[in-house]
Each structure stands twice: as structure tokens, then as C-alpha cells.
Amino acid sequence: MKMPLFILLEIIRKEDVVLRAILTTHHHWDHARGNEELARLCPGLRVYGADERIGALTHKVTHEQELTFGAIRVRCLFTPCHTSGHVCYFMWEDGSPDAPALFSGDTLFVGGCGKFFEGTAEQMYTNLTQILGALPEETKVFCGHEYTVRNLKFALKVEPENEIVKKKLAWAKQRDDEDLPTVPSTLQEEFLYNPFLRVTEEAVQKFTGKTDPVEVLRTLRTEKDNFKKPKERPNPQAMLAFDWGLFSPFLEKKFSTWEVDSVFYLLVVRLLCYAPSSAVPGYPGACGCLQPGCGCWWWRVRGCFGGGYPHW
């Protein structure tokens, strides 16, 4: 079992709740691969999504279909492009003072948008402007990946004079250095610095050399795909492991993908166990010790694993 799934199950146990349903945005393994195991462990579990390729799918949703889970209401928003069956989930609670939330998967990111793997620029333009962009501006955006710094570096290249982009990038870098999340943002904020939502702005059109919004978006995506990835600082614990020769077996013998993934993950987690970190009450450490003061949170190694995911 993958460690994030273990954490989810432990949180469910600690909160003394019953897992009734999963809302899956799309079929890519980094978003849906735990479905089958959860369905096995939780009989009767409902798995929602818009793509038959989603593992353990039980309920196929349609555009603007509404679901209810207790007091929480969910509107399914069909947003094909990243995948042909991608769906976002807009959530709110009637009478609640809290802002609504959008779980945007790989369609809308902080400062960016998803690749057009199975769709077109026309589809993504509709997704961003007519579907997601039409939601209340105070909506909190919870995206599927934290590519914030990388996205904002590209945004700064597109609009080098945009002071809001500069401030947001500086903030995101500081948050990243402190191992703090940059998610969520709000739709109102995204319209100020996300170039994919600013396709009618003069500076963005000047960068692309286009004026038609769809063509601007198409060119932006091509430019982003070719944008040089920033050099990442080597993980000090991983470098220490190489110095100690702990990875030597992997260099001398062929292992299956599962073996490399599992052993490498556990190795890095163990190396991180000594690293001090502020405790997050109620959340177990990646080593499984469940001690409040443990510093080995699974997300601390996201630079070793999440940073290489291809579905951004």
C-alpha cells in the first residue's frame, strides 16, 4: 500500500468517520491509482468520475450534475482537454460563511493550466473562461499539483512588468523553502497573475504575437511546454544516501518499477526521520510511528517523487 493511502486511512480512523465516496477528476495514475484498494477495503464505496478509465468507477457523472453529501453540495463540471474525461468539482455548503471550493485536478493550477494531452486549445479556453472562470471570484482553488513556482516563473516571462506576478512568485518561493503549501488560491487572484486566464491582456497578446484569445492560449501552452525547467536544489538527504552508497544495489541490478519505487521511497523516508519539523497534530509521520513530534511527513519528500510526475 502506498504511504499517502495509509495516511488517508489513518486520518479516517482518527476522525472516526466512514468513507462513503471518492470524487476522481481523471484517470491518470497520480490521481486515481488508490481507488481499487480503497474500494476493496471499504465495501460499498462509491467512486464518482466522468471517464470509464477511472479505476473502480461506480458512478459516471455528467456536466452540471449535482451531488449531495450531508450538508455539502457538489456540482460536477466537465472540463475535457487534459484528458477527454476530466471533470472538476465545485463544492459549497448552503448557509455557510466559508467560501466555496473548486477541486480543479489538472485543468487549472495556481498560475497555470494543464497540458492538452487529449484535447484542444478551444476546449481549454471554454474550460477556463466559460466554466471555471464563471464561478464566484472568492472560490478557493485546490489544484492537483503544486507547480506554483515553476508556473509563476513562466508567468513572469510572459508579463515581466506585472508586479502582482513578482510578489506572488516571491511569496511562493518562500513558502516552498519553508515546506508550506501554496494551495489554495482564489479565482480572483488567478485572474491577476495566471497568463492562461489573461489571454485578452495586451501584454500577454504581445508575448504570443496573437490577438485571438484561443490562439493566444494555444501559443502560451506551446511556450510553457518548451519553457526551461528551473534547476532544483539537490535533496541533501538523498545526496547523503548516494555518498553512503545506499543506492548501489539499484545501479548494479535491474529491479522492477514497483521494487525501485517502494524501496527508494522507504529509504528516503527513513533518512528524513531525523530531520526536525514542526508537528502537524493529528497527522501521522511517513514512517508510520504516528508520534506527534515526528518530522518525517510523506509530503517532505515530494521533491523526490511528485516533482517528476509527467501530468502537469
Side-chain angles (χ1 to χ4, degrees):
M1 184 186 300
K2 294 294 181 182
M3 198 62 67
L5 185 57
F6 165 80
I7 290 177
L8 172 62
L9 293 173
E10 183 60 27
I11 293 172
I12 291 172
R13 185 190 67 79
K14 281 181 172 289
E15 295 293 330
D16 193 26
V17 295
V18 178
L19 182 63
R20 301 290 189 190
I22 297 174
L23 303 177
T24 307
T25 58
H26 61 295
H27 76 282
H28 284 162
W29 67 274
D30 52 333
H31 293 260
R33 67 175 172 179
N35 287 3
E36 290 92 342
E37 183 70 2
L38 286 171
R40 185 184 67 82
L41 295 171
C42 306
L45 183 68
R46 291 169 288 168
V47 179
Y48 294 86
D51 195 322
E52 295 288 352
R53 294 172 291 181
I54 292 173
L57 182 71
T58 61
H59 292 68
K60 191 171 182 180
V61 301
T62 57
H63 183 53
E64 295 195 339
Q65 178 180 347
E66 291 197 3
L67 310 171
T68 302
F69 302 96
I72 299 174
R73 298 178 63 184
V74 181
R75 182 179 301 146
C76 306
L77 301 174
F78 190 50
T79 53
C81 184
H82 183 69
T83 67
S84 60
H86 195 291
V87 65
C88 298
Y89 298 99
F90 177 66
M91 300 187 183
W92 74 97
E93 187 175 347
D94 289 334
S96 173
D98 296 330
L102 172 69
F103 292 86
S104 58
D106 283 0
T107 292
L108 175 64
F109 296 126
V110 179
C113 76
K115 285 189 173 184
F116 306 169
F117 283 130
E118 298 179 358
T120 65
E122 287 80 3
Q123 287 178 314
M124 186 59 80
Y125 179 74
T126 298
N127 295 340
L128 297 179
T129 61
Q130 299 178 26
I131 299 177
L132 304 186
L135 296 174
E137 63 179 18
E138 68 272 18
T139 299
K140 293 182 179 180
V141 179
F142 293 87
C143 49
H145 298 278
E146 277 204 320
Y147 301 139
T148 306
V149 171
R150 184 189 307 169
N151 287 343
L152 291 173
K153 285 184 176 182
F154 176 71
L156 188 60
K157 179 181 178 181
V158 176
E159 293 188 90
E161 304 302 321
N162 189 325
E163 293 299 323
I164 298 176
V165 173
K166 295 177 183 178
K167 291 179 181 179
K168 186 72 174 181
L169 176 57
W171 172 85
K173 286 181 176 178
Q174 181 176 353
R175 298 282 292 185
D176 196 55
D177 288 342
E178 298 173 357
D179 270 335
L180 295 173
T182 59
V183 176
S185 62
T186 67
L187 276 178
Q188 184 178 34
E189 294 170 346
E190 291 300 316
F191 277 107
L192 298 177
Y193 53 68
N194 189 328
F196 296 93
L197 290 175
R198 295 172 56 79
V199 292
T200 60
E201 295 294 323
E202 183 179 353
V204 179
Q205 293 184 350
K206 181 179 179 181
F207 173 82
T208 61
K210 309 289 183 180
T211 56
D212 178 81
V214 173
E215 293 307 315
V216 172
L217 183 63
R218 192 191 317 276
T219 303
L220 280 175
R221 185 64 261 177
T222 300
E223 291 292 327
K224 178 62 166 60
D225 291 344
N226 297 322
F227 185 60
K228 185 178 180 181
K229 297 178 183 178
K231 292 182 179 179
E232 297 183 359
R233 292 170 295 181
N235 182 285
Q237 287 80 20
M239 293 303 296
L240 185 60
F242 275 107
D243 290 341
W244 288 349
L246 298 179
F247 292 114
S248 296
F250 297 102
L251 302 177
E252 299 169 356
K253 175 185 175 182
K254 288 187 177 180
F255 286 81
S256 68
T257 301
W258 184 87
E259 287 175 319
V260 173
D261 183 44
S262 300
V263 177
F264 181 61
Y265 189 94
L266 292 173
L267 174 60
V268 176
V269 165
R270 296 301 178 186
L271 286 170
L272 287 175
C273 281
Y274 71 85
S277 174
S278 58
V280 182
Y283 287 77
C287 65
C289 68
L290 308 183
Q291 296 300 314
C294 177
C296 48
W297 311 103
W298 68 269
W299 50 265
R300 295 196 63 182
V301 295
R302 70 183 188 276
C304 296
F305 301 95
Y309 288 167
H311 304 309
W312 53 77

